[in-house]
Amino acid sequence: MSISFDSEKGIFSISTENSSYIMGITADEILTHIYYGAKVETFPNISGIYTDSIIKCMGPSYNKENPYISTAGIYQEYPTFGSADYRVPALKAEYEDGTNVTRLVYDSYRIYGGKPALEGLPAVYTHSDEEAETLEITLKDKYSQMRVILLYSVIKGFDAVIRSARIENGGKEKIKLRSALSASMDFYNAGFEITYLSGSWARERHIKKLAVTPGNFAVESRRGASSHILNPFIAISETGANEKRGEVYGYSLVYSGSFIAGTETDEDSVRAYMGINPFNFCWTLEAGDSFQTPETVLVYSANGFGEMSRTYHRLYRTRLCRGKYRDTARPVLINNWEATYFDFNEEKILEIAKKAAECGIELMVLDDGWFGKRDNDKCSLGDWFVNYDKLPCGIDGLAQKVNALGLKFGLWFEPEMVSPDSELYRKHPDWCLHQKDRLRSESRNQLILDLSRKDVCDYIVKAVSDVLENANITYVKWDYNRNMSEVGSALLDPERQGETAHRYMLGLYSVLERITSAFPDILFESCSGGGGRFDPGMMYYMPQAWTSDDTDAVERLYIQYGTSLAYASSMMGAHVSAVPNHQVGRVTPLEMRGLTAMCGRFGYELDLSKLTDEETETVKEQIKLYHKYENTVHKGDMYRLLSPFECDAAAVEYVSEDRKEVLFFYFNIKGTPAIPDRKVRLDGLDAGAYYRNTGNGEVYSGAALMNMGLLMPRNSDNFSMLTVFEKL
Ligand code: DGJ
């Protein structure tokens, strides 16, 4: 990794092991994007590329000598609103005198070791300054005292460039930011496709791919959460790129609120952009104030989507997730939600825990319904004190009894919410997000607390901490079950109401920082009605997230496969649940449910006391199997071999860090008779080495496994198998 500036040519060059990112300063002092792609050590005379504009249809110009030099045509790094560029701007500012034209020109730069933390925001981190290098380029507005500092960091060992922007108001007058994106980049249109993750509640992160065609295509959330519908991730790839071949550029936003990411294509170029969604966003910068955007993590792969994903997995697992559980083993858990829903008491929970202990499960998680008078989803959010009718010995007493069975104890919270039917709401009706004299729309009978307020954040920290301090709790599930509406805050001035949603996120991040650092021994799992906030922002505080409320094994193959485009297996909560499945009614074998869940953070979510003896034995074996291979699944490299989005089967492979252990998971979803077996080729092996199938002892060369492949049966529904190879 290295960053350099050629002052003669005015060229910035950022390089990672396999990629280069190059920018230049034009004669008109505009910071222009020159190149991002496979590593180039030297480059031809590129002055022609960046000083001349690509001639755009009617592109207005400031340049009298060369009227073709227009921001409509120059490939920019941080385009602004108001003049000749008609595409999506990275920055839109409004000034006190009613003007809204910004003209950013190059001012200065700084290169230094390390990667700075972003105040109040989650971010990729390093352990030492030697691990990273950062370039800060300062642009100044020709018309005001506003400065934009663009940050670019690279970290040793990763083909990633991490971008964000800081906007500073150095003048005396207010500036209103209507849009401040994290990254924008103009590419020559070589024919691209865009891949993104979309879905719904219980159907999160299915893979979608479209051709990048003229016009603006945006993947976005306006919901105040990263959302089930679209995830803050896109990949732009050369047409036809697949898992192993082709250039792919990943864009991933370290943020959990409303976002936008997209491509805008005009006559010849493609602008790719990502950041906080400008929808309902307006941030006032007082004199001397600054605004820091979240960061976009760009990953380049010359070898298809597989390599891009493995870079994200390793980077996020080791340099975004934090805390004790980043590297240490996490317990296999049993969660009572699908076993009992709200209908439980101490006796029932202990019955499940007892059976769990017998099976070898290590953690009992008590889900929703333990507090206030919550017997359904109509009340009590905000009243975080135990319901003694259900749990006569309190949380502490229950935790002790669960501990006595040899299990750890974990608890569910939904701290950001309030039920209108709660003591908290009756006491503080203005503590929720709302707008004055407007109806407050409810979702799942609840409102969202206004985390843009410090007093509300303090309340949440205290309420949750009080429970955690008074019982032996070693795991917390942090849920969030609705999206924002009537977004406004009782404490913000009218002109600052457009700041509410982002201030909420800053409040949330401060709450999470305070709680997770006060309880470093607790494993936190984030959740949002399943995977509605499955994003890098939350992963910074909580190393795993509940992937989806859909626990059906077949549905999970799609969801986990899609999720793996940007997120590691170690981040995906995955449980074995009962059949017929509660979401789709499908009956799948216990073996398949087990193997599917083993591709994530393994657990159970069913009434174990109803298992037959044979099923109990299977569960015991599954837990042993998971523990045997969890290191390879969670710390190894993942290869996607067969996509359920492209055929009626799925296959994934994990290769251990030392490359000696290979796990091959195969799932045949739909049985089809009278057709030949399916050939699946393995990946990531050493072609010249030999591998033994630990099941039947057969030995194959890496070349044979990768080129000839293995023949897999396809004649029965919901067939699953795990084959383990050891390198000889
Ligand atoms: C939504 C979560 O995704 C479920 O797992 C469960 O915790 C419920 N909320 C409880 O209300």
Side-chain angles (χ1 to χ4, degrees), residues 337 342 367-368 374 412 414 444 477 479 481 527-530 546 549 605:
W337 180 244
F342 292 103
D367 210 280
D368 194 356
R374 192 159 165 96
W412 178 96
E414 197 177 358
R444 209 193 189 204
K477 178 174 174 187
D479 209 344
N481 282 301
C527 174
S528 170
W546 182 225
D549 271 350
E605 188 159 335

Side-chain angles (χ1 to χ4, degrees), residues 412-428:
W412 178 96
F413 289 89
E414 197 177 358
E416 298 160 68
M417 299 289 162
V418 62
S419 308
D421 180 5
S422 66
E423 289 182 24
L424 182 70
Y425 188 71
R426 284 184 279 277
K427 217 161 133 196
H428 297 290

Side-chain angles (χ1 to χ4, degrees), residues 483-687:
N483 290 151
M484 295 179 184
S485 56
E486 299 89 34
V487 184
S489 170
L491 287 196
L492 287 173
D493 291 342
E495 73 161 0
R496 288 191 174 268
Q497 291 294 321
E499 298 176 15
T500 311
H502 181 59
R503 284 190 184 275
Y504 180 100
M505 297 318 303
L506 296 177
L508 170 63
Y509 291 144
S510 78
V511 165
L512 297 181
E513 185 67 39
R514 286 163 70 187
I515 294 183
T516 54
S517 50
F519 298 96
D521 292 330
I522 293 182
L523 168 62
F524 287 84
E525 174 158 351
S526 94
C527 174
S528 170
R533 226 169 33 183
F534 202 111
D535 59 63
M538 294 305 287
M539 296 299 172
Y540 182 69
Y541 303 96
M542 307 188 177
Q544 65 188 60
W546 182 225
T547 314
S548 175
D549 271 350
D550 196 334
T551 55
D552 171 63
V554 172
E555 291 292 309
R556 275 300 186 110
L557 290 178
Y558 293 84
I559 295 168
Q560 293 174 192
Y561 197 94
T563 303
S564 78
L565 271 195
Y567 308 100
S569 317
S570 62
M571 299 168 173
M572 300 182 209
H575 301 168
V576 173
S577 62
V579 289
N581 172 264
H582 293 195
Q583 292 78 40
V584 295
R586 187 181 282 120
V587 175
T588 50
L590 185 51
E591 287 71 19
M592 182 185 191
R593 282 176 276 152
L595 288 182
T596 307
M598 280 182 214
C599 296
R601 284 289 171 191
F602 193 57
Y604 289 82
E605 188 159 335
L606 74 174
D607 189 347
L608 291 171
S609 65
K610 294 192 176 135
L611 292 184
T612 62
D613 288 349
E614 198 188 334
E615 286 169 335
T616 305
E617 288 313 306
T618 305
V619 167
K620 287 182 188 169
E621 289 308 312
Q622 286 179 337
I623 293 163
K624 285 190 204 136
L625 193 71
Y626 173 71
H627 278 319
K628 193 164 175 196
Y629 298 123
E630 65 181 316
N631 261 332
T632 298
V633 172
H634 296 314
K635 295 186 179 163
D637 276 343
M638 183 201 192
Y639 296 83
R640 288 179 295 260
L641 306 178
L642 268 188
S643 168
F645 297 102
E646 289 165 14
C647 65
D648 49 18
V652 292
E653 178 195 328
Y654 302 91
V655 179
S656 61
E657 277 178 299
D658 63 8
R659 317 299 297 175
K660 287 192 174 140
E661 184 170 78
V662 179
L663 310 179
F664 168 61
F665 288 83
Y666 172 75
F667 304 90
N668 191 62
I669 299 168
K670 185 174 167 289
T672 311
I675 49 167
D677 286 348
R678 173 182 278 118
K679 201 189 243 186
V680 186
R681 292 167 162 194
L682 270 59
D683 198 359
L685 307 182
D686 179 350

Side-chain angles (χ1 to χ4, degrees), residues 16-85:
T16 67
E17 213 172 308
N18 301 297
S19 70
S20 294
Y21 189 111
I22 300 169
M23 297 167 277
I25 304 160
T26 69
D28 279 9
E29 303 171 288
I30 293 167
L31 185 67
T32 182
H33 181 79
I34 294 176
Y35 173 80
Y36 185 29
K39 192 159 184 167
V40 286
E41 301 290 354
T42 56
F43 21 89
N45 182 357
I46 49 177
S47 58
I49 299 175
Y50 72 91
T51 53
D52 291 347
S53 162
I54 304 290
I55 300 170
K56 289 277 165 149
C57 169
M58 297 189 181
S61 174
Y62 293 122
N63 194 312
K64 299 264 188 264
E65 284 149 36
N66 185 349
Y68 293 121
I69 293 190
S70 162
T71 47
I74 292 170
Y75 288 9
Q76 294 162 83
E77 273 293 299
Y78 207 68
T80 55
F81 180 87
S83 182
D85 187 343

Side-chain angles (χ1 to χ4, degrees), residues 8 158 223 244-245 257 264 293 304 336 430 466 490 538 726:
E8 247 170 61
F158 296 98
R223 296 166 170 263
K244 291 168 77 162
R245 274 178 281 279
E264 182 161 4
T293 74
N336 74 304
D430 63 334
D466 280 353
M538 294 305 287
E726 60 183 9

